[in-house]
Amino acid sequence: MAQYDYDLFTIGAGSGGVRASRVSASFGARVAIAEERYLGGTCVNVGCIPKKLLVYASHFHDDYEEAVNYGWNVGERRFDWATLIANKDKEINRLNGVYRKLLGDSGVEIIEAHAEVIDPHTILIGGKKITAEYILVAVGSWPVVPKFPGAEYAITSNEAFYLPTLPERVVIIGGGYIGVEFAGIFHGLGVRTTQLYWDKLFLRGFDDDIRRTLAQEMRKRGIDLRFDVLVAEIAKSSTGLKVILTDGSAIEADQVLCATGRTSKTPNLGLEKAGVKLTSNGAVNVDAYSKSNIDSIYAIGDCTDRMMLTPVAIAEGMAVANTLFNNKPTKPNYQNVATAIFSTPSCSTVGLTEQEAREQNYAVDIFRTSFKPLKHTVTGRDERTMMKLVVDQTTDKVLGCHMVGPNAEEIIQGLAVALNCGATKAQFDATVGVHPSAAEEFVTMRTKVV
Ligand SMILES: Cc1cc2nc3c(=O)[nH]c(=O)nc-3n(C[C@H](O)[C@H](O)[C@H](O)COP(=O)(O)OP(=O)(O)OC[C@H]3O[C@@H](n4cnc5c(N)ncnc54)[C@H](O)[C@@H]3O)c2cc1C
């Protein structure tokens, strides 16, 4: 007779939890997973996937406009938000079903309810106590809305995906990647869009050349970017909402979207009662194997606040499965994780920013190029693509690659492989480019700018 009901009990069927559970089951573990909201978690329901569908929708405006100089005569254009949201929801429902089937086919038992940890081996769910040798906390994160008068009138990205109608005017508070992406989405769909950020330049943590270039490009498109501003209050007005800034000025809007960060979804989970240590911002404190201070409790993904990205949560889930049930203690590899911003135009990055390289005392050479994409020589659109390489002078290794421009998200993946192989600038230079493409610029930059 087994000592516990399950070998593994996972709380949260998002990117990380589903992968850890399926892979653990494939190694022969008896696994159950609890999900209180939606199978597939944030990424599938209110994150990466619906976001990218909305980004696609927002690009048609440009496509129609640009088609004219290529000889296309495009007729009357009308956009219907309700059709977009209905079709997006249809795809998400399909994905929820895919996740249900994947878990079922792997032999993982799904329990659709809120779960709480009672002690290092016991979970309370639906009024019932269940025991497991290991508990995996994969509860994700949740949007944070700062406290200021009228904050209750603002929505977060969660609600933005389900707005009943498309607003005419939107104010976005926050300058992280989610705010930037929604600014591009709303603007592309014809919404008058203002984005506010408290510091001098948005996208903190990204290379300064990405931050500056994207700001220029968004402004050229007509997005009203305002930096160094603080929101004092959101008030109701005769036409909707009024965002009042600390300098006394005000912006009228129909919707205000707070994209002001996310925090681990650890409240109401019983972790502290079970003796699990949390960081000051509520994330589960884990070691390199994702183990908490309690030997039987592991945590992965957004709730550990390491890198809030789907592929990272998945890699952490795989590593836990290998560690616990495949006799292969595994630490996830956080080296050169490539990321993209699905802004318009898009951005991508891998490795060190120029600032990080300098802070880490590398002597660096900087290679940078800025050019008009070939497509726009005919469309006439005033848009520049920026690409940048950060190179270690001593070893010639490429430390970082950064890009703003169409298809940046597709181009960066191959460069991440090169960086993980320790590619040098000389090897980039010795690689023959694909012509004509933007990507070839990464192997043809010869002149140092710094
Ligand atoms: C708008 C937006 C856009 C994004 N875009 C990208 C992108 O382009 N690329 C990228 O890599 N990442 C993106 N992300 C981040 C990505 O979605 C997350 O990093 C990823 O989903 C984290 O996976 P996870 O398994 O840690 O948590 P989640 O996917 O959030 O899953 C956690 C699950 O746990 C459930 N849960 C929580 N508490 C309990 C409980 N007590 N009992 C039962 N169930 C519970 C939740 O309902 C949820 O389903 C985006 C996020 C947002 C919000």
Side-chain angles (χ1 to χ4, degrees):
M1 211 24 209
Q3 190 184 350
Y4 300 107
D5 298 328
Y6 296 96
D7 299 317
L8 178 70
F9 192 99
T10 303
I11 307 180
S15 309
V18 167
R19 184 59 66 96
S21 302
R22 284 175 51 209
V23 177
S24 298
S26 78
F27 294 143
R30 298 169 305 135
V31 186
I33 191 165
E35 175 51 55
E36 67 179 2
R37 190 172 292 263
Y38 30 40
L39 291 175
T42 303
C43 174
V44 165
N45 294 278
V46 287
C48 332
I49 301 298
K51 179 225 15 224
K52 197 156 177 198
L53 295 176
L54 265 52
V55 169
Y56 282 131
S58 72
H59 285 178
F60 283 97
H61 182 269
D62 283 2
D63 295 343
Y64 291 135
E65 223 173 66
E66 291 164 1
V68 176
N69 277 3
Y70 278 97
W72 287 92
N73 189 349
V74 181
E76 192 209 347
R77 290 176 260 159
R78 250 181 335 107
F79 169 69
D80 182 37
W81 172 256
T83 302
L84 171 62
I85 296 304
N87 286 335
K88 181 265 295 176
D89 289 346
K90 203 164 126 194
E91 172 56 10
I92 289 180
N93 285 338
R94 188 187 73 81
L95 289 172
N96 296 145
V98 168
Y99 273 78
R100 184 179 299 284
K101 184 163 170 10
L102 282 173
L103 286 166
D105 290 352
S106 315
V108 175
E109 191 180 329
I110 306 170
I111 307 173
E112 290 181 74
H114 176 82
E116 266 178 61
V117 180
I118 308 184
D119 68 38
H121 293 284
T122 314
I123 299 102
L124 180 67
I125 185 160
K128 206 175 136 200
K129 285 182 186 167
I130 291 179
T131 61
E133 182 169 9
Y134 294 103
I135 297 172
L136 178 62
V137 180
V139 293
S141 61
W142 201 249
V144 179
V145 176
K147 287 193 172 56
F148 56 81
E152 67 275 15
Y153 299 131
I155 58 166
T156 69
S157 55
N158 284 348
E159 295 77 45
F161 288 114
Y162 293 97
L163 287 176
T165 54
L166 183 67
E168 283 177 23
R169 304 159 301 175
V170 160
V171 170
I172 296 169
I173 304 173
Y177 80 92
I178 293 175
V180 164
E181 291 174 340
F182 271 103
I185 290 168
F186 282 123
H187 175 75
L189 297 178
V191 178
R192 202 184 322 148
T193 306
T194 306
Q195 187 175 5
L196 310 176
Y197 185 53
W198 64 272
D199 209 352
K200 293 204 160 33
L201 193 56
F202 59 11
L203 293 173
R204 192 157 47 110
F206 286 87
D207 191 274
D208 281 350
D209 279 302
I210 287 190
R211 303 167 75 192
R212 280 190 290 261
T213 309
L214 184 66
Q216 274 163 16
E217 293 305 327
M218 287 173 70
R219 283 187 167 128
K220 275 194 231 162
R221 286 173 170 270
I223 295 173
D224 180 7
L225 287 184
R226 302 195 197 180
F227 298 144
D228 247 336
V229 293
L230 282 174
V231 174
E233 183 183 350
I234 303 175
K236 288 236 181 210
S237 77
S238 54
T239 62
L241 297 170
K242 192 156 57 164
V243 180
I244 303 163
L245 306 182
T246 46
D247 65 6
S249 62
I251 311 159
E252 293 278 344
D254 304 302
Q255 289 287 355
V256 179
L257 167 61
C258 256
T260 38
R262 296 176 66 83
T263 185
S264 314
K265 205 164 180 293
T266 47
N268 308 320
L269 202 57
L271 287 176
E272 283 141 309
K273 270 189 267 156
V276 176
K277 286 208 178 94
L278 304 181
T279 65
S280 57
N281 61 356
V284 185
N285 220 335
V286 288
D287 67 13
Y289 296 93
S290 299
K291 182 157 76 81
S292 75
N293 60 305
I294 304 286
D295 283 348
S296 58
I297 301 185
Y298 283 66
I300 53 168
D302 280 12
C303 69
T304 60
D305 198 14
R306 288 176 279 187
M307 278 185 184
M308 288 199 188
L309 290 170
T310 285
V312 172
I314 290 174
E316 290 168 354
M318 297 272 287
V320 166
N322 270 302
T323 300
L324 296 181
F325 302 111
N326 195 28
N327 215 10
K328 247 197 223 163
T330 307
K331 296 180 195 175
N333 174 15
Y334 298 98
Q335 276 275 307
N336 297 317
V337 174
T339 64
I341 307 169
F342 294 90
S343 46
T344 308
S346 58
C347 308
S348 63
T349 184
V350 62
L352 299 182
T353 65
E354 179 179 345
Q355 301 86 309
E356 283 167 343
R358 293 191 192 286
E359 278 159 24
Q360 293 177 26
N361 292 322
Y362 283 102
V364 287
D365 288 331
I366 302 298
F367 297 82
R368 189 176 50 228
T369 181
S370 166
F371 58 93
K372 185 174 205 157
L374 178 60
K375 182 181 179 191
H376 295 317
T377 56
V378 170
T379 67
R381 183 178 292 286
D382 174 22
E383 184 180 293
R384 309 287 295 176
T385 285
M386 189 285 298
M387 290 175 168
K388 174 173 178 177
L389 292 175
V390 181
V391 179
D392 180 6
Q393 272 175 11
T394 315
T395 61
D396 195 42
K397 276 196 180 160
V398 178
L399 301 173
C401 310
H402 310 281
M403 176 174 177
V404 180
N407 305 314
E409 69 280 17
E410 302 293 345
I411 291 170
I412 208 72
Q413 187 70 78
L415 296 177
V417 177
L419 261 61
N420 268 333
C421 295
T424 61
K425 179 67 169 64
Q427 288 167 324
F428 269 56
D429 294 348
T431 304
V432 177
V434 176
H435 185 75
S437 72
E440 68 180 318
E441 295 287 328
F442 269 122
V443 295
T444 54
M445 281 187 251
R446 294 289 185 271
T447 318
K448 286 182 221 169
V449 292
V450 184

